[in-house]
Amino acid sequence: MIPRLGEEEAQAAADAVRSGWVAQGPRVARFEQEFAALVGAGHGVAVSSCTTALHLALVVLDVGPGDEVIVPSFSFIATANAVRYVGATPVFADVDLGTGNLTVDTVDAVRTPRTRAVIGVHQGGVPFDVAALREAAGRWGVALVEDAACAAGSTAYGRPAGAGAALAAWSFHPRKLLTTGEGGMVTTDDPAWAARLRRLREHGMNVSAAERHASAQPVLESYLETAFNYRMTDIQAAVGLVQLGRLAELVAQRRALAARYHDLLATIEGLVPVRDPEYGETNFQSFWVLIDPEYGVSRDEVLAELAVAGVSARRGIMAAHLEPAYADLAPGPLPVTERLTRDSLILPLHHALTEDDQDRVVGVLRKLAG
Ligand SMILES: *Cc1c(COP(=O)(O)O)cnc(C)c1O
């Protein structure tokens, strides 16, 4: 993924530097407001990454030792790691073959009396079925955190993915559609949670450094709980504010390129590209293709041939339970996760991709099909 960064971002970052206010300040506050409005959330709390956003979401829910949190193994490893940061135990659930996401059934299959929360991931930008999973979580009395790292610009049931979430965590890493270099956000509609999240990212202080500096009177802060330094800088937020203006165009462009991939791939048997679910639209953050047996060539051979042709495709999304970091867990069977991670690859899809590039990629795939 090649980030779309231009002169406007460079100028905005320079303006922040020249203003003399480079730590969390007025630009972070504006970025939070504009991002929350864009994704249909009441409050945005900017943090240093989606990983720290997930950590704080679990802290706010008071999840801790003895608790289980259900997560997909089929996700970037940060989703599962956040559970361990609070001393809880990640429990891996399988995913749906078409969307790569948790479903009510896959979560229910691994639910126990110790389940405190579920982290649903809008994987690669494909929204999970928010209506179904939020309803089920409510019925079970289990919190639902949404890992929306990849989902800026995706929609579910006619609203932005993540709108209406109890807590959603977003990423602005350069591999996502919107970038601030590094960065993240927690969004929520709950003002009390938003207030606690603001404290948690800033050492547990009851007044922010920005408020303290803005006050004419000396303000004595106090530290209400043991917390973290997970702040975003104003330089990052300045870049993010410019990036917000690019989102709609970026999504439209990716969706057009994805539609063209769909047309070209339709004539090759055994290749199943990711598509919109019936209840929403993906931003095609990741355009993955599942290789069915009738294609006749393994995923790794396909990757090798693409590399020879100068195409930088990537393996599919990882499965955390297959990594050494989680070798101590003994999850139940995860057949769909293992099939997706073994048999899928991610084709190049970014703002600089040309139709010629696409034709070259599909040409290699067609030749391999024999
Ligand atoms: C990228 C990603 C993360 C981590 O985001 P950072 O901002 O790099 O911490 C977490 N979850 C998912 C699903 C991701 O794709």
Side-chain angles (χ1 to χ4, degrees):
M1 168 111 189
I2 300 169
R4 168 81 174 86
L5 289 165
E7 197 46 47
E8 298 90 330
E9 282 87 348
Q11 189 61 49
D15 288 346
V17 171
R18 288 193 195 102
S19 80
W21 196 300
V22 289
Q24 177 186 290
R27 288 175 174 82
V28 168
R30 247 185 69 211
F31 182 51
E32 292 176 332
Q33 281 161 14
E34 292 190 18
F35 184 81
L38 185 85
V39 302
H43 307 272
V45 180
V47 290
S48 52
S49 68
C50 182
T51 304
T52 56
L54 289 167
H55 182 188
L56 293 191
L58 294 176
V59 173
V60 157
L61 292 169
D62 294 320
V63 173
D67 294 333
E68 293 178 351
V69 179
I70 296 172
V71 296
S73 167
F74 186 68
S75 184
F76 184 58
I77 199 160
T79 310
N81 286 350
V83 178
R84 284 192 161 164
Y85 297 162
V86 295
T89 304
V91 174
F92 293 123
D94 212 357
V95 292
D96 173 73
L97 187 65
T99 64
N101 284 325
L102 297 181
T103 68
V104 172
D105 289 344
T106 64
V107 172
D108 204 15
V110 296
R111 205 160 56 85
T112 77
R114 282 152 62 132
T115 305
R116 276 289 315 282
V118 177
I119 304 179
V121 180
H122 299 295
Q123 193 50 262
V126 182
F128 64 75
D129 188 338
V130 293
L133 208 54
R134 288 175 190 166
E135 187 279 327
R139 188 157 33 88
W140 297 328
V142 161
L144 178 63
V145 173
E146 303 193 15
D147 180 340
C150 304
S154 299
T155 64
Y157 295 96
R159 300 172 72 196
L167 292 156
W170 307 83
S171 174
F172 308 119
H173 184 274
R175 269 171 61 169
K176 323 298 181 184
L177 260 70
L178 296 186
T179 187
T180 58
E182 292 275 1
M185 182 94 68
V186 188
T187 56
T188 179
D189 290 334
D190 186 318
W193 277 351
R196 183 153 178 233
L197 288 162
R198 288 183 203 291
R199 277 209 310 272
L200 285 167
R201 73 169 165 193
E202 195 167 15
H203 308 291
M205 278 195 281
N206 63 339
V207 281
S208 71
E211 283 163 355
R212 211 149 29 90
H213 284 282
S215 169
Q217 298 297 316
V219 178
L220 296 181
E221 78 281 12
S222 62
Y223 298 84
L224 304 180
E225 58 184 316
T226 306
F228 310 92
N229 176 2
Y230 283 172
R231 287 171 296 204
M232 175 183 278
T233 68
D234 252 30
I235 305 172
Q236 291 168 293
V239 172
L241 281 162
V242 178
Q243 289 268 293
L244 290 182
R246 299 196 192 277
L247 181 64
E249 182 201 327
L250 278 177
V251 172
Q253 189 187 18
R254 295 175 85 88
R255 289 187 57 82
L257 287 167
R260 192 162 181 276
Y261 264 141
H262 280 146
D263 287 346
L264 294 168
L265 293 169
T267 57
I268 307 176
E269 210 188 331
L271 295 183
V272 186
V274 63
R275 291 184 178 280
D276 288 330
E278 72 258 26
Y279 49 80
E281 289 190 348
T282 169
N283 59 9
F284 286 109
Q285 147 98 53
S286 292
F287 189 89
W288 75 74
V289 175
L290 178 66
I291 300 175
D292 267 345
E294 60 263 38
Y295 184 67
V297 183
S298 78
R299 191 274 310 272
D300 289 348
E301 289 172 82
V302 175
L303 277 181
E305 284 302 318
L306 284 169
V308 167
V311 174
S312 76
R314 289 188 291 124
R315 71 165 189 174
I317 290 156
M318 64 176 296
H321 77 283
L322 300 178
E323 295 299 320
Y326 287 96
D328 57 320
L329 291 188
L334 298 165
V336 178
T337 295
E338 289 182 4
R339 168 137 188 249
L340 277 171
T341 200
R342 184 188 61 227
D343 294 338
S344 63
L345 74 161
I346 296 174
L347 298 185
L349 182 58
H350 51 80
H351 68 274
L353 192 77
T354 64
E355 295 195 349
D356 281 353
D357 294 333
Q358 283 191 301
D359 292 342
R360 196 151 45 87
V361 173
V362 176
V364 175
L365 297 173
R366 194 184 309 284
K367 199 174 98 213
L368 279 173

